[in-house]
Amino acid sequence: MFEKLSPMPADPILGLMAKYRQDQHPNKIDLGVGVFKDEAGHTPILACVKQAEQHRIDTEETKVYIGPTGSPEFNKLIADLAFGNDNPAITANRVRTVSTPGGTGSLRVAADFIKRINPNSVIWVSDPTWANHIGLFEAAGITVKTYPYYDHQNKALKFDEMLATLSQICRDDVVLLHACCHNPSGMDLTTEQWDRVIDITKQQGFTPLIDMAYQGFGDGVDVDAYGVRQMAANVDDMILCSSCSKNFGLYRERIGACSIVAKDSNAADITYSVILYVVRCLYSMPPAHGAAIVETILGSSELKQQWLDELKVMRDRINGNRAMLVNKLIEKGVTRDFSFIAEQKGMFSFLGITPEQVAKLQQDHSIYMVDSSRISIAGIGKTNVDYLAESIAKVLSV
Ligand SMILES: Cc1ncc(COP(=O)(O)O)c(C=O)c1O
């Protein structure tokens, strides 16, 4: 049977990582992989995570099945973190949450849930979006369409075009929005723009699905959740997919959450029963370890404060790297305006150079990024920014 198969194209980022590892250049730089790195290039385990994990090891009494919802305590705490515990959707008991295997698991639960509601479902994603959104929803049998989002030419949001498209979308469709730190563009909606999008969502009646993979990496946990919170307070139905991979540094533990907001508590119960059925058919039950760590942190005022402090260090480093690169490029004589990098948010931005220039950076300078020139901001550091800016300057001047 397997002889019928032909190979799938390799993941471009994994291919890039393999090439980077083999490269012997002493100044090589990896701007491909989207994980947080400290100045030394490590992705550290947060101190609050270490403590919570120790507590978990000391107190855990059983490894018995946890059930398709995952830990109820985690679900409550992570929903409060996302929506805010005073959100009208929370106080009216309209929110239900399941723990999921990472943000990707959450998106897949959402995809199967959407498909179950409407077999002809269409999901609208931003152009561009995280590449996996497309494969993931198509794998669930959902048609993926795009709405205009990032203007590569002007390094700006195509907001009017985005609104014009959203204004044509029908009730049965789903619209995927990035809560903050848009991947891959770093271009986020302002609060005023969120308000306009929420108005159109209400007007058209489509279902918003917000993907929040970077809460706390932009401006802070509350500011980053503005769109999620306002949307939940203003629409009947909504789906939120969140991830603890980046903000808790729990990448390999695979912990995230899928929350649904329904019209009222009764509708939320019915919707939840369908979500739980979807989970049972997909993977039965989520992993428990990451959820236990997160619930230990969020459930302790001391550990939560420590986490917020550690998260701020990661956020400040990313925002600092953005400003540092822009300043260095000016210092190295680059006249092209790169100031947009300092204004954008989160782990990624498009440098906005051609694929040929990307290839040249790799061949001549051992600087690795994907062809679209999306760079992972955490790969920049005080020790490599001079070399990086000099190399970009050289490539631009040819
Ligand atoms: C926009 C977006 N959504 C979801 C995810 C999935 O995160 P996780 O690693 O928790 O599956 C990512 C990860 O890079 C992402 O960038």
Side-chain angles (χ1 to χ4, degrees), residues 102-105 107 130 133 178 183 211 213-214 243 245-246 254-255:
T104 308
L107 286 160
W130 181 47
H133 280 148
H178 295 229
N183 179 7
D211 183 3
Y214 301 94
S243 165
S245 300
K246 312 285 157 68
R254 310 309 300 135
I255 179 64

Side-chain angles (χ1 to χ4, degrees), residues 325-372:
L325 177 61
V326 174
N327 292 334
K328 267 295 170 218
L329 287 167
I330 296 170
E331 202 181 297
K332 302 290 174 191
V334 173
T335 50
R336 194 199 280 198
D337 183 11
F338 280 99
S339 59
F340 65 91
I341 293 178
E343 284 145 31
Q344 293 171 345
K345 296 285 173 207
M347 299 277 287
F348 306 105
S349 279
F350 289 110
L351 212 44
I353 60 174
T354 64
E356 293 72 33
Q357 289 167 328
V358 169
K360 218 167 163 34
L361 276 174
Q362 191 184 121
Q363 276 151 24
D364 299 353
H365 305 275
S366 296
I367 294 172
Y368 290 77
M369 67 188 70
V370 282
D371 288 349
S372 63

Side-chain angles (χ1 to χ4, degrees), residues 155-215:
K155 327 292 183 216
L157 204 60
K158 288 183 176 169
F159 192 59
D160 290 343
E161 291 171 56
M162 174 183 176
L163 289 193
T165 303
L166 295 188
S167 304
Q168 305 294 318
I169 293 176
C170 67
R171 305 187 55 78
D172 288 342
D173 290 359
V174 177
V175 173
L176 191 155
L177 298 154
H178 295 229
C180 59
C181 306
H182 185 270
N183 179 7
S185 74
M187 196 80 223
D188 284 348
L189 297 172
T190 63
T191 52
E192 293 75 22
Q193 288 169 334
W194 268 112
D195 294 344
R196 300 275 307 277
V197 168
I198 291 165
D199 284 345
I200 291 182
T201 308
K202 276 172 23 189
Q203 172 196 303
Q204 296 300 110
F206 55 71
T207 302
L209 185 165
I210 306 189
D211 183 3
M212 185 155 64
Y214 301 94
Q215 187 180 8

